Structure formats: C-alpha cells, structure tokens
C-alpha cells in the first residue's frame, strides 16, 4: 500500500480453522490494519463423544486467539449464541418439521456472518469484513458480482447466493484464487500452528451438541416431529410406519425401514408434514423437470427487469455440478425453473443457484482465466 493512502481497517471472521487464519494472515501481509472476530455460536463446553472437529466452539476459539497473537492483531470473541439459536438452529429444526431439507450454512452466512457480524465489523470501524470462503468478488458498486472460486472443487459460492449486492461491496474473499493445498502451504510459510488442522464438519452445532446426530437437536426444539406415521409407496400401498419426520429427507435411500416387493431400491419421494406421511418409490419416481423457487436474491439487478431467462446453468447442490434450465419469473417474486434434462435429487428446502458466464469483471482477462462464473 502507498504511504500516501490511509491504511484501511478490516475485520476477519476467524473460526480457528486454516482458511480463516490464512485470510487474516494475507490481510496482515498486504498491509491492512486487521482485527480478528470469532463468533461463539453455542456452548463451548459440549463436545461429541467421537471427538469430531467443529468450528466456533472452545478449542477453535482458542486456536483463533493463538493465530491472532502470532499475527500481532487484536482478537475479540463475540457471544452470538442466542442469535445463532434464533436464526440458524431453530430454522434447522423447523425445516425438518415442515418436511424440507435445510442448509444451515446458507442461513449462517445470510443472517450471522454477512448481517450481524458485518454490522459489528462496521461498528468497530472496519472498512471490510474478510472471510475464508472460497469464492471471488469482482467489480464495484452496482456492477459488483459474486464469482466461483478458481478451484471449483473448493468453491463455496453456492452457500453465498443469499448475499445481496450492497453487502458484497463491504466483503473480501482473499482465498478465491487459491487451492486448499496452496492455503495450507501459506499457513506453513507463516508458521501458523493450525496449518495441518483437519476440516471442520459442515453442520457444526450438530457435531458439537448431539449424541444421536441431528435428530437430538431437532427433537429438543420440535418434539412434535417424533409422532409416528405411515410410510406409503407412490402406488398407494402402505408399507410400514416411521418414528418421526425428522428421520427422512427427499432423495434418501438408506434407513427407510421398508423394502420393495421386488428388491428395487426405494427412495423418499415426498414428505407430507400435514398428514405426517412419508412417500417412497423407485429412482424413476423421483424424476423432476420443473419446480418453484422463492427467497430469490438477484446479484445482477438487470435480471429483475425480465420475465424469462433462457438456457442458463443452475447448480442444485453443493457438488458443483450444473445443468441447463429456463427460468420464468413470477409477479409474486418467485420463479419457475424448467430443467432441460430431468434431475433425480431435487429436494424442497435446498438452494437453486443460477450461474451467468460473463467476462465483465474489473479485470476482464483475469475473469476469463477464472472461468467468470457469476452467481445471479
């Protein structure tokens, strides 16, 4: 940075893992004034019997503090337990009670990191909030866009689709151009003690609190889900009983408790929370080519001016696979997605992220090198 310019201040969301630690180190090396912020999201005294690694709990808060000390930056631990319970964990339990499959990481990004934590960062005088997500932000102002990471196998933009334009202007993702190996190598170069730390689990609060997996969390908050009901084949035949809706998600194959007459594998095709029924069928019965989406966030505001988007790529899971679709926008603020080819794993509650291939980033050549995949 030029000595004639005011040194910018950034707050780094530090979970105690390799990615956020390297993000902080990169900001220090680039000359920013850096502070580390760690969200304590649940009771740090509760751990799993298996000793699984988690984020935002006791050991990880300690690791974040150690890295901050090594980097010579201030570090603060924020008590966000109640906010996390209200905005993420309760939503997780309510989703299972409604028969839909939640993605708590999206809710955490949407309502915790890029709302509450961002606001706290700004209150502390930071110009930007920095996180260790593998994604990229290109452009400025109204032309800003969210892009997939260079290393598609690590890309996390799917979990960031609900981040609006005005928020992107205050966020930095420094790992967007790195692979995981390069991130670990950087941590070793900086002599960070967490350079070989294992990956955290996706559903952090389940791993840290539950002895019986996510069902313990769901049943504690929504005991009504434990009510028994029928398991019904799509042909109408009652095949057995279930012990609670929270045991099932659409697309599930294992642990159904019933078998078909001819040995054909069965899958959950539908969950009827009102009637407390689980429907099962063959993989062919799961085929879907059209569905409705809601809670839409358009990064490209120009999209809102149209009624129809033709032949666009959509990503329906975190596995980075895309397929072609047409999208019809409805006056209700929702949209109908029509897939060109059928999908057999579309589950209510999951995200449908639309990708627009462009080269309109601030550095056009760089955008082409990275694939230029923009999340709408």
């Amino acid at each position: 940075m030029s000595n004639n310019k005011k040194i910018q201040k950034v707050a780094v969301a530090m979970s105690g893992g390799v990615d956020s630690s390297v993000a902080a180190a990169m900001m220090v090396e680039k000359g920013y004034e850096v502070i580390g912020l760690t969200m304590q999201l649940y009771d740090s005294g509760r751990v799993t019997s298996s000793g699984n690694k988690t984020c935002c709990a006791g050991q990880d808060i300690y690791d974040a503090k150690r890295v901050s000390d090594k980097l010579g930056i201030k570090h603060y631990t924020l008590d966000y337990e109640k906010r996390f319970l209200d905005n993420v964990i309760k939503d997780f339990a309510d989703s299972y009670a409604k028969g839909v499959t939640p993605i708590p990481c999206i809710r955490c990004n949407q309502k915790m990191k890029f709302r509450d934590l961002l606001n706290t960062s700004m209150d502390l005088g930071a110009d930007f909030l920095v996180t260790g997500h593998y994604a990229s932000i290109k452009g400025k102002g109204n032309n800003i866009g969210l892009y997939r990471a260079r290393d598609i196998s690590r890309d996390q933009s799917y979990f960031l689709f609900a981040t609006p334009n005005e928020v992107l202007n205050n966020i930095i993702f420094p790992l967007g151009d790195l692979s995981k190996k390069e991130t670990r190598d950087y941590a070793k170069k900086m002599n960070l003690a967490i350079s070989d730390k294992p990956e955290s689990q996706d559903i952090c609060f389940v791993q840290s609190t539950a002895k019986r997996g996510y069902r313990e969390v769901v049943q504690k908050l929504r005991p009504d889900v434990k009510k028994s009901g029928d398991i019904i084949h799509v042909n109408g035949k009652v095949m057995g009983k279930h012990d609670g809706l929270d045991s099932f998600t659409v697309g599930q194959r294992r642990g159904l408790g019933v078998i078909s007459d001819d040995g054909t594998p069965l899958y959950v095709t539908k969950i009827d929370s009102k009637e407390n029924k689980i429907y099962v069928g063959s993989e062919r019965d799961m085929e879907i080519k059209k569905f409705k989406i809601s809670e839409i966030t358009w990064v490209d505001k120009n999209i809102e001016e149209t009624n129809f988007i033709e032949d666009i790529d959509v990503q329906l899971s975190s596995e980075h696979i895309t397929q072609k679709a047409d999208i019809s926008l409805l006056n209700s603020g929702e949209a109908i997605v029509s897939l060109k080819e059928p999908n057999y794993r579309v589950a209510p509650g999951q995200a449908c992220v639309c990708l627009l291939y462009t080269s309109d980033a601030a550095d056009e050549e760089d955008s082409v090198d990275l694939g230029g995949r923009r999340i709408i």
Side-chain angles (χ1 to χ4, degrees):
M1 284 189 178
S2 170
N3 293 330
N4 296 324
K5 291 184 179 180
K6 176 181 176 292
I7 296 178
Q8 289 186 305
K9 184 177 183 179
V10 298
V12 182
M14 300 183 69
S15 67
V18 177
D19 297 334
S20 60
S21 297
V22 167
M26 291 177 72
M27 292 296 103
V28 170
E29 197 169 46
K30 289 180 179 179
Y32 289 92
E33 178 186 350
V34 181
I35 58 173
L37 302 180
T38 299
M39 300 183 293
Q40 181 172 317
L41 300 180
Y42 42 80
D43 185 349
S44 60
R46 289 177 291 191
V47 295
T48 58
S49 57
S50 62
N52 285 331
K53 299 295 182 181
T54 62
C55 71
C56 308
Q59 179 61 45
D60 297 300
I61 293 173
Y62 172 73
D63 288 341
K65 179 66 169 63
R66 280 201 305 165
V67 170
S68 297
D69 290 343
K70 172 70 175 178
L71 297 175
I73 64 175
K74 293 180 180 178
H75 176 263
Y76 303 94
T77 300
L78 307 174
D79 183 358
Y80 277 9
E81 284 193 37
K82 186 177 187 306
R83 301 184 197 196
F84 190 66
L85 174 64
D86 292 342
N87 291 296
V88 180
I89 300 180
K90 285 184 178 179
D91 176 80
F92 179 83
D94 290 343
S95 295
Y96 274 102
K98 294 174 185 175
V100 302
T101 306
I103 312 179
C105 292
I106 288 177
R107 282 287 184 253
C108 185
N109 288 330
Q110 178 186 25
K111 296 188 175 183
M112 301 296 297
K113 290 187 178 75
F114 303 124
R115 187 188 68 182
D116 294 350
L117 189 61
L118 176 62
N119 289 337
T120 297
S121 301
M122 299 299 104
D123 289 342
L124 291 171
D127 298 292
F128 298 95
L129 172 64
V130 179
T131 76
H133 286 98
Y134 287 87
S136 295
I137 298 173
K138 300 181 186 296
K140 295 181 180 179
N142 293 331
N143 294 319
I144 201 164
L146 176 64
Y147 289 72
R148 299 176 101 182
R150 188 196 72 188
D151 182 356
I152 295 299
S153 69
R154 298 296 306 178
D155 176 63
Q156 294 173 304
S157 60
Y158 177 81
F159 299 103
L160 299 165
F161 83 92
T163 310
N165 258 34
E166 57 270 20
V167 173
L168 290 178
N169 281 287
N170 294 108
I171 298 172
I172 298 176
F173 297 139
L175 305 189
D177 290 347
L178 301 183
S179 67
K180 185 69 178 191
K181 181 181 183 304
E182 289 170 329
T183 299
R184 289 197 182 277
D185 288 345
Y186 189 99
K188 292 175 181 176
K189 182 189 77 170
M190 299 296 289
N191 294 315
L192 302 182
I194 46 72
S195 61
D196 292 319
K197 188 173 182 178
E199 296 283 336
S200 61
Q201 300 295 325
D202 286 341
I203 306 179
C204 57
F205 58 89
V206 169
Q207 295 294 335
S208 69
T209 63
K211 297 177 182 178
R212 294 181 290 108
Y214 71 88
R215 295 193 71 192
E216 181 178 348
V217 176
V218 175
Q219 291 177 11
K220 181 177 180 179
L221 295 172
R222 292 297 303 265
D224 53 308
V225 300
K226 294 187 288 186
K227 182 180 178 182
S228 179
D230 290 332
I231 299 178
I232 305 173
H233 196 278
V234 291
N235 64 15
K237 178 182 177 181
V238 176
M239 304 193 68
K241 291 283 187 179
H242 67 78
D243 64 352
L245 296 178
D246 59 317
S247 293
F248 303 90
T249 58
V250 171
Q252 179 178 330
R253 176 181 173 185
R254 301 183 183 279
L256 304 186
V258 296
I259 57 175
S260 62
D261 295 334
D262 59 2
T264 302
L266 293 175
Y267 300 81
V268 175
T269 61
K270 178 183 175 182
I271 300 174
D272 187 339
S273 60
K274 291 183 179 179
E275 298 295 328
N276 197 36
K277 295 177 180 178
I278 303 294
Y279 288 86
V280 298
S282 67
E283 186 173 32
R284 171 64 66 179
D285 294 317
M286 294 175 57
E287 178 181 307
I288 189 169
K289 289 193 70 175
K290 182 178 293 187
F291 55 90
K292 182 183 290 187
I293 57 175
S294 59
E295 296 186 44
I296 301 171
T297 300
W298 298 117
V299 172
D300 187 341
K301 296 300 182 182
N302 294 325
I303 295 296
E304 298 178 2
E305 304 299 323
T306 186
N307 295 319
F308 185 74
I309 308 171
E310 186 177 10
D311 203 33
I312 196 168
D313 283 330
V314 296
Q315 182 177 336
L316 301 176
S317 73
S318 60
E319 296 177 352
H320 318 295
I321 300 170
T322 63
Q323 62 183 108
K324 295 292 184 180
D326 295 332
I327 301 179
S328 300
L329 277 65
L330 307 177
N331 292 332
S332 62
E334 300 174 314
I336 299 295
V337 178
S338 300
L339 302 175
K340 302 289 187 178
E341 299 293 335
N343 188 295
Y344 298 88
R345 295 294 184 271
V346 177
Q350 297 290 283
C352 172
V353 176
C354 310
L355 296 96
L356 179 65
Y357 295 81
T358 72
S359 58
D360 62 353
D363 184 337
E364 183 170 327
E365 182 177 352
D366 186 54
S367 175
V368 173
D369 288 344
L370 297 178
R373 301 181 180 184
R374 186 174 184 177
I375 308 303
I376 296 177

